[in-house]
Amino acid sequence: MNSEALKRLVAQAACDEVLKQPAGQCLGIGTGSTANWFIDLLAPHQSHFAGVVSSSVASTQRLIQQGFYVLDTNQVTDLPVYVDGADEINPQGHMIKGGGGALTREKIIAAMAKRFICICDASKQVAVLGHFPLPLEIIPLAEPCIMRTITALGGEGRLRMVGVTGQPFITDNGGWILDVHGLSITQPVQLEAQINQIPGVVTVGLFAQRKADLLLVGGPTGVVAVAHSQ
Ligand code: 5RP
């Protein structure tokens, strides 16, 4: 099975899971190619939900095109479930996210949700996080200062650019993204707390303090479900 087939498989498993929720509740939906499969497969069942909240402008546009009722996060007080992909996940359920640059809204919605269901293919499972560069959303004027602090932590920060335009990638919130290479993240909870303390960092793409509650992984033999307690 190729990677797209695995994403579709795991997205279908997530649809089956969220449709076990009572009708009339809200649902959080993330960003990326796996989340896109989830949106498309869930579209015929959209009336099961009172509305959805989305972690990016791109997902919001896709959800609206598919006929979902998209709510602002400010309008939602009760969010039973959030479904999203990940760039890496370790055996404890700690994740690196933000490959699509949507980490800040993803972290907000993950914090709002009672359950975080992570959907990915088996290639995202790693023993130690850090081979995938760790994204940080930052306030642009703090970039040189943050870069120095990241170097002192043993990482190499690279400003994310838009293709070969020479222009920085701008997030949905007007921030920039620093992708930090060269880290071997053996203590994700501590590193998340440490990077959160750096002035000018809006969000670090480590989801360790609030990790996945349920991981659905698509592999050659089908979908494997792994539950994690917080
Ligand atoms: C976007 C994310 C995505 O969840 C992550 O990049 C995984 O994406 P994909 O499903 O395309 O592999 O964090 O900011």
Side-chain angles (χ1 to χ4, degrees):
M1 233 184 290
N2 66 25
S3 143
E4 283 308 302
L6 291 176
K7 289 176 188 179
R8 187 184 202 285
L9 189 70
V10 80
Q12 183 60 58
C15 287
D16 298 342
E17 185 66 29
V18 298
L19 288 169
K20 291 179 194 163
Q21 281 179 238
Q25 297 184 332
C26 287
L27 177 67
I29 299 184
T31 298
S33 54
T34 320
N36 283 345
W37 274 114
F38 177 68
I39 292 170
D40 295 350
L41 292 168
L42 194 64
H45 308 283
Q46 56 187 267
S47 61
H48 187 81
F49 302 95
V52 295
V53 289
S54 146
S55 70
S56 64
V57 171
S59 287
T60 296
Q61 285 169 349
R62 194 178 191 99
L63 285 159
I64 289 170
Q65 275 165 10
Q66 291 280 22
F68 283 89
Y69 180 48
V70 182
L71 293 157
D72 193 280
T73 47
N74 294 326
Q75 296 172 274
V76 174
T77 49
D78 185 36
L79 189 65
V81 181
Y82 174 47
V83 177
D84 199 358
D87 297 300
E88 279 186 350
I89 183 159
N90 72 10
Q92 292 73 42
H94 305 134
M95 296 166 283
I96 287 183
K97 291 183 49 52
L103 59 162
T104 296
R105 297 187 190 193
E106 289 171 348
K107 209 171 245 196
I108 292 167
I109 299 177
M112 290 168 63
K114 291 195 179 68
R115 278 177 88 212
F116 184 147
I117 300 176
C118 176
I119 51 174
C120 64
D121 65 77
S123 70
K124 307 291 183 69
Q125 289 182 294
V126 296
V128 177
L129 300 174
H131 183 70
F132 189 92
L134 176 64
L136 312 184
E137 179 164 356
I138 65 163
I139 301 289
L141 63 82
E143 190 246 358
C145 178
I146 295 170
M147 202 70 101
R148 285 193 291 276
T149 311
I150 290 300
T151 304
L153 285 175
E156 185 208 337
R158 294 186 203 160
L159 187 62
R160 191 180 296 183
M161 309 300 278
V162 181
V164 290
T165 60
Q167 298 300 312
F169 173 92
I170 309 285
T171 71
D172 291 346
N173 315 303
W176 287 355
I177 299 285
L178 269 194
D179 289 307
V180 182
H181 295 247
L183 295 175
S184 175
I185 307 173
T186 51
Q187 297 193 301
V189 175
Q190 290 85 341
L191 187 64
E192 181 179 4
Q194 196 174 4
I195 296 178
N196 273 334
Q197 295 301 317
I198 303 173
V201 171
V202 177
T203 304
V204 50
L206 263 176
F207 285 57
Q209 291 178 25
R210 201 281 179 256
K211 60 186 185 180
D213 298 289
L214 177 65
L215 169 63
L216 298 174
V217 200
T221 55
V223 175
V224 175
V226 184
H228 293 287
S229 50
Q230 291 293 324

PDB file of all heavy atoms in Angstrom, residues 7 31-35 84-87 97-103 106 124, ligand 1:
ATOM      1  N   LYS A   7      -2.858   6.743   4.397  1.00  0.00           N
ATOM      2  CA  LYS A   7      -3.513   7.913   5.005  1.00  0.00           C
ATOM      3  C   LYS A   7      -5.036   7.800   4.899  1.00  0.00           C
ATOM      4  O   LYS A   7      -5.774   8.122   5.824  1.00  0.00           O
ATOM      5  CB  LYS A   7      -3.029   9.196   4.302  1.00  0.00           C
ATOM      6  CG  LYS A   7      -1.592   9.560   4.628  1.00  0.00           C
ATOM      7  CD  LYS A   7      -1.135  10.759   3.834  1.00  0.00           C
ATOM      8  CE  LYS A   7       0.364  10.967   4.051  1.00  0.00           C
ATOM      9  NZ  LYS A   7       0.887  12.099   3.303  1.00  0.00           N
ATOM     10  N   THR A  31      -4.856  19.831  10.215  1.00  0.00           N
ATOM     11  CA  THR A  31      -4.311  20.333   8.945  1.00  0.00           C
ATOM     12  C   THR A  31      -3.328  19.317   8.371  1.00  0.00           C
ATOM     13  O   THR A  31      -2.592  18.666   9.119  1.00  0.00           O
ATOM     14  CB  THR A  31      -3.575  21.651   9.218  1.00  0.00           C
ATOM     15  OG1 THR A  31      -4.528  22.588   9.724  1.00  0.00           O
ATOM     16  CG2 THR A  31      -2.945  22.230   7.957  1.00  0.00           C
ATOM     17  N   GLY A  32      -3.289  19.242   7.049  1.00  0.00           N
ATOM     18  CA  GLY A  32      -2.302  18.384   6.393  1.00  0.00           C
ATOM     19  C   GLY A  32      -2.973  17.375   5.473  1.00  0.00           C
ATOM     20  O   GLY A  32      -4.209  17.325   5.368  1.00  0.00           O
ATOM     21  N   SER A  33      -2.172  16.552   4.832  1.00  0.00           N
ATOM     22  CA  SER A  33      -2.715  15.632   3.835  1.00  0.00           C
ATOM     23  C   SER A  33      -3.555  14.521   4.476  1.00  0.00           C
ATOM     24  O   SER A  33      -4.553  14.082   3.892  1.00  0.00           O
ATOM     25  CB  SER A  33      -1.575  15.039   3.004  1.00  0.00           C
ATOM     26  OG  SER A  33      -0.611  14.454   3.845  1.00  0.00           O
ATOM     27  N   THR A  34      -3.181  14.083   5.678  1.00  0.00           N
ATOM     28  CA  THR A  34      -3.977  13.036   6.344  1.00  0.00           C
ATOM     29  C   THR A  34      -5.305  13.631   6.831  1.00  0.00           C
ATOM     30  O   THR A  34      -6.370  13.017   6.680  1.00  0.00           O
ATOM     31  CB  THR A  34      -3.190  12.411   7.521  1.00  0.00           C
ATOM     32  OG1 THR A  34      -1.821  12.263   7.145  1.00  0.00           O
ATOM     33  CG2 THR A  34      -3.751  11.058   7.905  1.00  0.00           C
ATOM     34  N   ALA A  35      -5.219  14.842   7.396  1.00  0.00           N
ATOM     35  CA  ALA A  35      -6.447  15.537   7.825  1.00  0.00           C
ATOM     36  C   ALA A  35      -7.357  15.807   6.617  1.00  0.00           C
ATOM     37  O   ALA A  35      -8.591  15.741   6.732  1.00  0.00           O
ATOM     38  CB  ALA A  35      -6.087  16.838   8.531  1.00  0.00           C
ATOM     39  N   ASP A  84      -6.159  14.996  14.186  1.00  0.00           N
ATOM     40  CA  ASP A  84      -5.117  15.652  13.392  1.00  0.00           C
ATOM     41  C   ASP A  84      -3.968  14.682  13.129  1.00  0.00           C
ATOM     42  O   ASP A  84      -3.833  13.666  13.815  1.00  0.00           O
ATOM     43  CB  ASP A  84      -4.593  16.887  14.142  1.00  0.00           C
ATOM     44  CG  ASP A  84      -3.863  17.867  13.229  1.00  0.00           C
ATOM     45  OD1 ASP A  84      -3.715  17.594  12.019  1.00  0.00           O
ATOM     46  OD2 ASP A  84      -3.433  18.923  13.731  1.00  0.00           O
ATOM     47  N   GLY A  85      -3.149  15.025  12.165  1.00  0.00           N
ATOM     48  CA  GLY A  85      -1.963  14.239  11.823  1.00  0.00           C
ATOM     49  C   GLY A  85      -0.779  14.630  12.681  1.00  0.00           C
ATOM     50  O   GLY A  85      -0.889  15.418  13.631  1.00  0.00           O
ATOM     51  N   ALA A  86       0.389  14.096  12.323  1.00  0.00           N
ATOM     52  CA  ALA A  86       1.632  14.440  13.021  1.00  0.00           C
ATOM     53  C   ALA A  86       2.796  14.214  12.063  1.00  0.00           C
ATOM     54  O   ALA A  86       2.680  13.462  11.086  1.00  0.00           O
ATOM     55  CB  ALA A  86       1.816  13.584  14.272  1.00  0.00           C
ATOM     56  N   ASP A  87       3.898  14.878  12.349  1.00  0.00           N
ATOM     57  CA  ASP A  87       5.110  14.689  11.540  1.00  0.00           C
ATOM     58  C   ASP A  87       5.980  13.580  12.121  1.00  0.00           C
ATOM     59  O   ASP A  87       6.657  12.873  11.377  1.00  0.00           O
ATOM     60  CB  ASP A  87       5.887  16.006  11.458  1.00  0.00           C
ATOM     61  CG  ASP A  87       5.056  17.064  10.763  1.00  0.00           C
ATOM     62  OD1 ASP A  87       4.696  16.848   9.597  1.00  0.00           O
ATOM     63  OD2 ASP A  87       4.718  18.088  11.397  1.00  0.00           O
ATOM     64  N   LYS A  97       4.756  18.398  15.472  1.00  0.00           N
ATOM     65  CA  LYS A  97       3.743  18.847  14.531  1.00  0.00           C
ATOM     66  C   LYS A  97       4.152  20.222  14.000  1.00  0.00           C
ATOM     67  O   LYS A  97       5.012  20.879  14.565  1.00  0.00           O
ATOM     68  CB  LYS A  97       2.366  18.941  15.201  1.00  0.00           C
ATOM     69  CG  LYS A  97       1.793  17.578  15.551  1.00  0.00           C
ATOM     70  CD  LYS A  97       0.407  17.636  16.154  1.00  0.00           C
ATOM     71  CE  LYS A  97      -0.570  18.485  15.408  1.00  0.00           C
ATOM     72  NZ  LYS A  97      -0.700  18.189  13.964  1.00  0.00           N
ATOM     73  N   GLY A  98       3.507  20.626  12.926  1.00  0.00           N
ATOM     74  CA  GLY A  98       3.790  21.957  12.378  1.00  0.00           C
ATOM     75  C   GLY A  98       4.462  21.939  11.031  1.00  0.00           C
ATOM     76  O   GLY A  98       4.867  22.980  10.524  1.00  0.00           O
ATOM     77  N   GLY A  99       4.559  20.724  10.442  1.00  0.00           N
ATOM     78  CA  GLY A  99       5.130  20.643   9.096  1.00  0.00           C
ATOM     79  C   GLY A  99       4.369  21.517   8.111  1.00  0.00           C
ATOM     80  O   GLY A  99       4.938  22.039   7.158  1.00  0.00           O
ATOM     81  N   GLY A 100       3.078  21.695   8.366  1.00  0.00           N
ATOM     82  CA  GLY A 100       2.259  22.556   7.501  1.00  0.00           C
ATOM     83  C   GLY A 100       2.187  23.987   8.013  1.00  0.00           C
ATOM     84  O   GLY A 100       1.484  24.819   7.428  1.00  0.00           O
ATOM     85  N   GLY A 101       2.860  24.261   9.120  1.00  0.00           N
ATOM     86  CA  GLY A 101       2.905  25.625   9.655  1.00  0.00           C
ATOM     87  C   GLY A 101       1.703  26.016  10.495  1.00  0.00           C
ATOM     88  O   GLY A 101       1.568  27.179  10.884  1.00  0.00           O
ATOM     89  N   ALA A 102       0.856  25.033  10.830  1.00  0.00           N
ATOM     90  CA  ALA A 102      -0.387  25.371  11.543  1.00  0.00           C
ATOM     91  C   ALA A 102      -0.295  25.067  13.040  1.00  0.00           C
ATOM     92  O   ALA A 102      -1.302  24.984  13.735  1.00  0.00           O
ATOM     93  CB  ALA A 102      -1.546  24.591  10.919  1.00  0.00           C
ATOM     94  N   LEU A 103       0.930  24.958  13.564  1.00  0.00           N
ATOM     95  CA  LEU A 103       1.111  24.437  14.918  1.00  0.00           C
ATOM     96  C   LEU A 103       0.408  25.239  16.011  1.00  0.00           C
ATOM     97  O   LEU A 103      -0.052  24.667  16.995  1.00  0.00           O
ATOM     98  CB  LEU A 103       2.602  24.280  15.229  1.00  0.00           C
ATOM     99  CG  LEU A 103       3.506  25.513  15.166  1.00  0.00           C
ATOM    100  CD1 LEU A 103       4.787  25.243  15.918  1.00  0.00           C
ATOM    101  CD2 LEU A 103       3.881  25.877  13.746  1.00  0.00           C
ATOM    102  N   GLU A 106      -3.201  24.470  16.006  1.00  0.00           N
ATOM    103  CA  GLU A 106      -3.318  23.057  16.363  1.00  0.00           C
ATOM    104  C   GLU A 106      -3.178  22.869  17.877  1.00  0.00           C
ATOM    105  O   GLU A 106      -3.912  22.110  18.496  1.00  0.00           O
ATOM    106  CB  GLU A 106      -2.233  22.242  15.633  1.00  0.00           C
ATOM    107  CG  GLU A 106      -2.501  22.139  14.135  1.00  0.00           C
ATOM    108  CD  GLU A 106      -1.380  21.541  13.326  1.00  0.00           C
ATOM    109  OE1 GLU A 106      -0.265  21.393  13.848  1.00  0.00           O
ATOM    110  OE2 GLU A 106      -1.626  21.228  12.157  1.00  0.00           O
ATOM    111  N   LYS A 124       5.620   7.689  10.336  1.00  0.00           N
ATOM    112  CA  LYS A 124       5.762   8.796  11.305  1.00  0.00           C
ATOM    113  C   LYS A 124       6.204   8.319  12.685  1.00  0.00           C
ATOM    114  O   LYS A 124       6.533   9.129  13.550  1.00  0.00           O
ATOM    115  CB  LYS A 124       4.423   9.549  11.450  1.00  0.00           C
ATOM    116  CG  LYS A 124       3.804  10.033  10.140  1.00  0.00           C
ATOM    117  CD  LYS A 124       4.614  11.140   9.523  1.00  0.00           C
ATOM    118  CE  LYS A 124       4.008  11.726   8.258  1.00  0.00           C
ATOM    119  NZ  LYS A 124       2.815  12.486   8.442  1.00  0.00           N
TER     120      LYS A 124
HETATM  121  C1  5RP B   1       0.458  20.700  10.032  1.00  0.00           C
HETATM  122  C2  5RP B   1       0.709  19.474  10.821  1.00  0.00           C
HETATM  123  C3  5RP B   1       0.324  18.170  10.196  1.00  0.00           C
HETATM  124  O1  5RP B   1      -0.502  17.488  11.051  1.00  0.00           O
HETATM  125  C4  5RP B   1       1.559  17.385   9.942  1.00  0.00           C
HETATM  126  O2  5RP B   1       2.449  18.179   9.178  1.00  0.00           O
HETATM  127  C5  5RP B   1       1.271  16.074   9.214  1.00  0.00           C
HETATM  128  O3  5RP B   1       0.867  16.342   7.918  1.00  0.00           O
HETATM  129  P1  5RP B   1       0.570  15.192   6.866  1.00  0.00           P
HETATM  130  O4  5RP B   1      -0.689  14.526   7.295  1.00  0.00           O
HETATM  131  O5  5RP B   1       0.435  15.923   5.550  1.00  0.00           O
HETATM  132  O6  5RP B   1       1.752  14.252   6.847  1.00  0.00           O
HETATM  133  O7  5RP B   1       1.198  19.475  11.919  1.00  0.00           O
HETATM  134  O8  5RP B   1       0.941  21.842  10.686  1.00  0.00           O
END
